Amino acid sequence: MKNIFGITLKDLEDFFIENKDKKFRATQIFEFLYKKRIFDLDKMTNIGNNNKELLRENFDFSFIKIKSKQEDKDVKKYLFELKDGNFIESVLMYHDYGISICVSSQVGCNMGCKFCESGRLKKVRNLEAYEIVEQILLIEKDIKERISHVVVMGIGEPFDNYENLKDFIKIINCNKGIDIGARHITISTCGLIPGIKRFMEDFNEINLAISLHAPNDTIRNKIMPINKVYNIKELINILKEYEKKTKRRITFEYIMLENINDSNECAIELAKLVKDLNCYINLIPYNETENIEFKRSKKVQILSFYDILKKNNINVTIRKEFGRKVDAACGQLRANQMGRK
Ligand code: SF4
């Protein structure tokens, strides 16, 4: 039985039409679920008993569970237990522009990025759309506030779970649904080109972020195995097409790893690589973990790298750090409940 929180408005409309009812019934249900946040069918006052019965027979209304929560001043990390006993994590961050959440899209990840704590657990399975949606609903319930920005950058490669990602985006972006604006939703990929192609056809207003982390194939092959399948040239070519089609600015994520990808030469090479794209580079100070040998670049080197990009007229920022105390920083999410620590 499908979970109701993974059903798009269109699919629910089709469901009611197939069951000889009116299409607008789907909007009524969506308004209860996502506007009024009433999840109990018995409390949906203007829905008839027949409809309630029909929904009960066809959809599961249950939730995943918040297993634990760790907090630091501007960040909260949530560990969720899924119904099959697997675990995933999400991170909530308070910014001056709103509240953002970084959600997971898979249990584990097969992409094998060498610096990534999240990917140490190989992919167990894809998350279903409802399991991604419920991360948002449960966290909003916990903080009693609405989330303004969503980033799919937690555990997993979202384009390796495209169908569920697609439904998730439709549900959270729907104005009868959770209603988060397209410009406030970002999907981050390590560079799965078939996924980027589908994404630019399906969603031309949602933000795209690329985990680049290297200015050439020699370095990228060493730290990101996906580069041996889709190399940098192919990646840049598809991004040029993406830019032409969507007119959107692309974000590049670049984790600063000492003596790996942080030299001044790397900065010059990176500037040349992206100079023809409308893009923005986010330099991320690496979060060292006890399980992985990479070191964080020295502050002075991060600043030098930043200056070189700036001098070459590249839009660049150094990411504000969140959540180091609670292991919630970028690349630190992990399923440590599963004995991976
Ligand atoms: S960085 Fe992202 S794509 Fe790479 S292993 Fe980690 S979770 Fe997977």
Side-chain angles (χ1 to χ4, degrees), residues 192-280:
L192 289 192
I193 289 180
I196 298 172
K197 284 187 182 159
R198 292 185 70 183
F199 181 71
M200 69 192 199
E201 293 303 324
D202 292 338
F203 302 103
N204 56 16
E205 291 194 334
I206 305 277
N207 302 311
L208 177 66
I210 304 290
S211 295
L212 185 62
H213 309 317
N216 59 49
D217 285 331
T218 310
I219 299 175
R220 202 163 190 261
N221 283 345
K222 282 189 196 142
I223 58 176
M224 297 182 74
I226 190 65
N227 199 67
K228 293 180 185 156
V229 185
Y230 305 112
N231 66 25
I232 289 189
K233 188 165 179 231
E234 290 171 278
L235 186 57
I236 296 295
N237 285 344
I238 191 73
L239 293 176
K240 283 184 183 158
E241 273 181 50
Y242 171 86
E243 188 189 292
K244 207 163 144 197
K245 181 160 176 45
T246 65
K247 315 274 181 290
R248 307 282 300 142
R249 187 168 75 166
I250 298 153
T251 301
F252 287 110
E253 308 288 347
Y254 197 101
I255 288 185
M256 300 294 293
L257 303 166
E258 185 175 36
N259 297 329
I260 302 285
N261 64 357
D262 67 345
S263 65
N264 291 349
E265 292 71 31
C266 282
I268 293 164
E269 206 176 348
L270 180 61
K272 277 195 196 134
L273 183 71
V274 302
K275 71 174 179 355
D276 295 330
L277 286 167
N278 174 18
C279 70
Y280 159 95

Side-chain angles (χ1 to χ4, degrees), residues 109-113 115-119 154-157 190 211 213 224:
C109 180
N110 272 352
M111 299 300 127
C113 304
F115 47 81
C116 175
E117 186 67 38
S118 313
I155 302 166
E157 161 54 52
C190 66
S211 295
H213 309 317
M224 297 182 74

